Amino acid sequence: MNQHIHKIRVWDLPTRLFHWALVAAVIGLAITGTVGGNAMVWHFRFGYSVLTLLLFRIVWGLVGGRWSRFGAFIYSPASVINYLKGKGKLEHGVGHNPIGAGSVFAMLGFLLAQVGTGLLSDDEIAFAGPLTRFVSNATVGLATNYHTNIGKWILLALVLLHVAAIVVYLRRKHNLVGAMLHGDKELVTAVPASRDDTASRLLALGVLLVCAAGVYWISSQAAPAF
């Protein structure tokens, strides 16, 4: 007997836009950081964009759609172990499974660390983060070393793992990219859908604007050039 397939809105529009905007901004960061020179002006702009997006995602992880909320993919160690043993639960196949959740939190955490240390970094040539004047030279040195020599390689490894996971799931007939494009997943069991209406999208826009204003304020803290 054929199973009835339910099309469920899993990823709301704000989450999808966040995801692809973050991809574009991180690529921009990598390119401009590698080129250096005058491209560093854009490196800072991409960095501020990433920080805005990360702050938005943190707030949206509390008030966003059902499957975008952190509460939907914070798993206990026992759940992770059972998933690895092939004893996953229904909800593991809806939003982020225990492994995917760990990847998301790692990506968000290390991106915050990379952007945060960027705000405190100084290349001792022409560019310095806006918050360098508020901390000691030792702190600036540590932040600069992490930002230029450590953090970027950790993020590269996480990105490669993320891409590899997408390929693996695609071979298993799970199109993760498609779901992040159109927002829906086809499931054999009905589950609650993420809210994705005009009101929630306007709320997301408001959250984004507040985050952008906060990041603009941070960027304005740079010491004036003489």
Side-chain angles (χ1 to χ4, degrees):
M1 188 172 73
N2 294 330
Q3 292 179 312
H4 181 66
I5 301 298
H6 303 268
K7 181 177 284 189
I8 305 297
R9 175 53 51 91
V10 175
W11 305 122
D12 53 60
L13 182 62
T15 298
R16 285 177 277 147
L17 291 177
F18 156 82
H19 181 273
W20 296 113
L22 186 65
V23 169
V26 168
I27 291 173
L29 270 177
I31 293 173
T32 54
T34 301
V35 172
N38 293 331
M40 290 302 294
V41 173
W42 278 98
H43 188 72
F44 273 80
R45 290 171 180 169
F46 281 121
Y48 294 138
S49 298
V50 169
L51 180 56
T52 300
L53 290 168
L54 292 175
L55 293 177
F56 165 81
R57 187 63 182 93
I58 291 172
V59 177
W60 201 241
L62 302 175
V63 302
R66 166 70 175 82
W67 300 102
S68 297
R69 296 185 183 184
F70 297 137
F73 55 95
I74 294 179
Y75 298 103
S76 67
S79 293
V80 176
I81 293 173
N82 286 334
Y83 180 81
L84 292 173
K85 289 181 177 180
K87 301 177 181 178
K89 297 181 179 180
L90 171 65
E91 61 267 24
H92 294 166
V94 183
H96 294 300
N97 63 48
I99 303 303
S103 174
V104 169
F105 286 123
M107 188 72 74
L108 292 177
F110 281 106
L111 277 172
L112 279 171
Q114 189 68 5
V115 174
T117 52
L119 297 174
L120 298 171
S121 294
D122 187 345
D123 66 1
E124 298 183 347
I125 300 174
F127 297 95
L131 303 184
T132 53
R133 64 192 181 108
F134 298 109
V135 297
S136 67
N137 289 336
T139 299
V140 170
L142 289 172
T144 303
N145 180 60
Y146 178 88
H147 188 80
T148 58
N149 300 319
I150 301 174
K152 65 180 183 181
W153 299 113
I154 295 176
L155 286 172
L156 177 60
L158 288 174
V159 168
L160 291 176
L161 285 173
H162 190 66
V163 172
I166 290 173
V167 173
V168 169
Y169 277 98
L170 188 60
R171 288 184 174 181
R172 296 177 180 177
K173 308 303 180 182
H174 295 291
N175 188 352
L176 302 181
V177 175
M180 192 54 74
L181 286 171
H182 51 67
D184 299 329
K185 282 190 176 183
E186 294 184 344
L187 306 169
V188 296
T189 304
V191 296
S194 287
R195 181 182 177 184
D196 191 21
D197 53 21
T198 301
S200 66
R201 292 175 180 182
L202 288 175
L203 173 62
L205 178 60
V207 170
L208 180 65
L209 291 175
V210 171
C211 293
V215 172
Y216 177 79
W217 179 83
I218 291 174
S219 69
S220 68
Q221 300 308 300
F226 294 99

